[in-house]
Amino acid sequence: MEISKLFDQIIELAVQKHASDIYFLPKSKNYEVKIHTVHGVIQLSEISFEKAQRLITYCKYQSGMSVSEKRRPQLGSISYLYQENQLRIRLSSVGTFNHHESLVLRIIYDNNQNDCQFFEESMVQRLIDLTNQRGLMVFAGPTGSGKTSTIYKVARSLHANEVIMSIEDPVEIYDDRFLQLEVNEKADMSYANLLKVGLRQRPDVFIIGEIRDEQTAKIAIRAALSGHLVFTTVHAKTPAGVMQRLLELGVKLPQLQSAINAIVYQRLIPTTNGDSKALLSIASLTEIENQTDDMQDWKIRLEKLHKKKVISDEIQTKYQFG
């Protein structure tokens, strides 16, 4: 089989399962091809070292990466047309200690495929209502949990005259209404630098793909305190973890208390029908500070879904801690 056809087959299988990532992982005797879905990691196949190397070389060539460099980390991207849907694929490669390459492909779907369903549409309306207060709305949850889709859904509900700027790495959802900027570290276009430029453009609303460092955190807080509505994500396992992460990044507690509008925890959860929907838990900073268990609301909502037999016993147990 031609390597290009094998690549197409793997992409097709991944897209059919709406996978977020494809892994080419070297083992002692061969390579494993795995995909990451809402149901967990699934192994697609095992392929020989020779075929894996050809496939990785093909991917690197198509994405503009250096084919000869097999040890140092590299990043690349591919634009891929699948059944009239334009996908963007982000690639990340790195060499292992025994000189084998590992490659991960992140699949970024188009607008329609990024839309997700919610267990409680009323929670989305609650977020829309909270936008009137402006300030910082922080979303937490694992990669692929639909956070960006929710942010865009809420942002699209705002008045048409609002100027909305997104700064993302990468831009996952295209929207002509928004001014969308993409992080490019090689061109010195970091989150912090783009956010500084963005403030001069005087938008009403910011979408910041992720707060990763102290500089970005402080500028985002400053924007929220100056009257902007700011949507962003932070890597944290719980709502309280969001607060702790921002404090670790040098944000002062009084500033955090003044800037935070809402903290949202979200995950895509498999249903008994075989599909998946987004579950949201929304809290203010004050509520989180006063709770001994910041996942209490999450557990209550999960229990309600379980009682209605919308999710199974196994899924309730698996997701009870987020």
Side-chain angles (χ1 to χ4, degrees), residues 199-265:
L199 284 168
R200 298 190 199 113
Q201 299 286 319
R202 299 184 64 81
D204 302 295
V205 180
F206 276 110
I207 297 173
I208 305 171
E210 181 186 344
I211 292 179
R212 297 176 177 171
D213 54 49
E214 181 176 341
Q215 194 175 15
T216 306
K218 289 183 176 179
I219 298 172
I221 290 290
R222 193 176 78 208
L225 290 174
S226 63
H228 294 84
L229 174 61
V230 182
F231 298 98
T232 192
T233 70
V234 169
H235 273 302
K237 293 182 179 179
T238 67
V242 171
M243 176 181 171
Q244 186 60 41
R245 178 59 179 153
L246 291 172
L247 291 172
E248 288 173 356
L249 290 173
V251 178
K252 304 298 183 184
L253 182 57
Q255 291 180 318
L256 200 58
Q257 291 169 328
S258 298
I260 291 286
N261 176 331
I263 294 176
V264 184
Y265 186 81

Side-chain angles (χ1 to χ4, degrees), residues 135-154:
L136 186 65
M137 301 182 74
V138 189
F139 289 71
T143 300
S145 57
K147 300 184 297 295
T148 302
S149 295
T150 303
I151 288 172
Y152 268 74
K153 187 180 183 72
V154 175

Side-chain angles (χ1 to χ4, degrees), residues 69-132:
E69 178 57 71
K70 297 185 177 182
R71 185 171 60 89
R72 292 183 178 138
Q74 290 193 77
L75 300 174
S77 63
I78 298 173
S79 182
Y80 188 88
L81 186 64
Y82 174 77
Q83 296 183 354
E84 300 183 357
N85 291 313
Q86 196 69 39
L87 307 177
R88 284 203 300 163
I89 303 174
R90 298 279 291 236
L91 293 83
S92 174
S93 71
V94 67
T96 64
F97 78 98
N98 55 358
H99 309 295
H100 296 307
E101 281 187 283
S102 170
L103 181 67
V104 179
L105 278 59
R106 164 66 54 84
I107 303 175
I108 302 164
Y109 297 90
D110 66 16
N111 292 16
N112 293 329
Q113 287 176 301
N114 264 291
D115 288 341
C116 63
Q117 301 297 312
F118 298 88
F119 285 108
E120 303 169 284
E121 287 289 343
S122 60
M123 297 296 281
V124 179
Q125 184 57 52
R126 183 178 165 190
L127 288 175
I128 292 172
D129 293 340
L130 284 169
T131 61
N132 294 321

